[in-house]
Amino acid sequence: MEAIKISRPKSLAVLVAERLREAIFRTELALGEVLSEEKIATAMNVSRTPVREALTLLQLQGLITIVPQSGSIVFKPDVRDMAELVQYRWMLETQAAPMALDHDPDGASAALERAIQMMVEARQEGDAMKYADADRVFHNVFFDYCGNHYVREAYEICSGRVTALRAHLSGVLEMHRDRTFAEHQEIAAAFFRGDRPALRKALDGHIGAMAGNYTRALNALKKSSEAE
C-alpha cells in the first residue's frame, strides 16, 4: 500500500498546554501558583474546554496538580518529593550515560561540547535562565543518544519538573554555579575519555547534591516571598 502524507495540526489543547509549560519554564507562573481556567482562557482568547484539557495534559507530565473542588496548581515539591525526584533521575541518568557511550559516543560528545559552550556563554552574559537551559540540554544528551526510546520516555516523566526547578531556582542557586559548572566539565571529560568509573562517580556527586541544593533554595525562596 502506497504511503500518504497527512498533515496533523496540533489541537488547541496541545497548543495551550505548550504555552502554559513555557510559562512555567520561563517563571511567568510561580511554583505552587493556583491557576484560574477562566483567566487563562481569557488571556489566550480560547474557551475553557481546551484549557481544561491542557491542564490535564500537564498533570500527566507532573507540572500541574489538579485538586478536586479547589482547582489547578503549579507543582511545588516538598522535601520528600524532592528526594524521590532526585533518586528517580539518578537511577535513570547513571544508566543512560554509559548507554550513550556504547551507542553513539561521537554524537553525544559533540552535543555535550555544544551544551558546555552554551554554559560558557550564559556565564559570560550573567544570564541565569540561559544557564538553566544549557543545563537542561547537557543532561538531555545522555537520553537523546542512549539508543533506547523507553529510557528516554521514562526520563520525560521527571524532566519537566527538573527543568521547572532549574528555572525557578536559578537565581537562588547562583552561589553554586561555579561548582556545578566544574561538575559538568568533569562529567563531560570522563565521557570524552570513555572512563566509566569516573563518569559514574561524577554523576553520583552532581545529581546527589541536587536534593540538598534545591531544598535549601526552595526554603530561601519561600522566606523571600514571606518577607515581601
Side-chain angles (χ1 to χ4, degrees), residues 13-25:
V14 170
L15 291 173
V16 173
E18 289 179 350
R19 178 65 188 94
L20 288 172
R21 183 168 56 245
E22 180 186 2
I24 294 172
F25 291 169

Side-chain angles (χ1 to χ4, degrees), residues 28-186:
E28 296 169 29
L29 296 174
L31 299 179
E33 182 173 341
V34 178
L35 304 179
S36 164
E37 289 182 8
E38 184 176 353
K39 288 183 179 179
I40 294 171
T42 300
M44 296 191 183
N45 195 29
V46 298
S47 70
R48 293 180 63 172
T49 298
V51 173
R52 192 173 300 115
E53 293 172 355
L55 292 172
T56 299
L57 289 174
L58 293 177
Q59 182 180 38
L60 294 175
Q61 297 172 22
L63 289 172
I64 294 291
T65 300
I66 298 177
V67 182
Q69 310 305 319
S70 297
S72 300
I73 305 170
V74 178
F75 100 105
K76 186 175 184 180
D78 56 23
V79 174
R80 179 177 176 178
D81 290 332
M82 189 72 74
E84 291 181 354
L85 178 65
V86 170
Q87 184 182 46
Y88 182 77
R89 177 188 166 190
W90 169 84
M91 182 174 62
L92 290 174
E93 194 161 342
T94 54
Q95 295 301 311
M99 289 172 68
L101 203 51
D102 290 331
H103 179 68
D104 188 357
D106 292 338
S109 293
L112 288 174
E113 288 178 346
R114 290 193 294 271
I116 291 289
Q117 183 57 38
M118 287 175 64
M119 289 182 178
V120 170
E121 293 172 1
R123 283 162 55 83
Q124 291 173 342
E125 297 168 13
D127 191 329
M129 290 293 292
K130 186 173 180 178
Y131 186 88
D133 192 47
D135 194 330
R136 175 189 61 79
V137 171
F138 182 95
H139 290 281
N140 280 356
V141 168
F142 300 124
F143 298 95
D144 291 339
Y145 290 88
C146 74
N148 188 314
H149 74 275
Y150 290 107
V151 174
R152 172 66 187 174
E153 289 171 6
Y155 180 63
E156 288 175 356
I157 293 174
C158 74
S159 63
R161 279 167 279 193
V162 173
T163 298
L165 284 169
R166 282 196 193 105
H168 285 267
L169 304 180
S170 59
V172 184
L173 289 170
E174 188 170 359
M175 66 188 78
H176 302 295
R177 194 154 297 136
D178 287 342
R179 187 180 72 202
T180 61
F181 179 63
E183 289 171 353
H184 285 104
Q185 290 179 307
E186 183 182 1

Side-chain angles (χ1 to χ4, degrees), residues 97-98 101 105 109 186-203:
L101 203 51
S109 293
E186 183 182 1
I187 292 167
F191 189 93
F192 298 156
R193 297 194 308 270
D195 188 338
R196 295 169 190 270
L199 178 61
R200 174 60 181 262
K201 182 179 179 181
L203 285 169

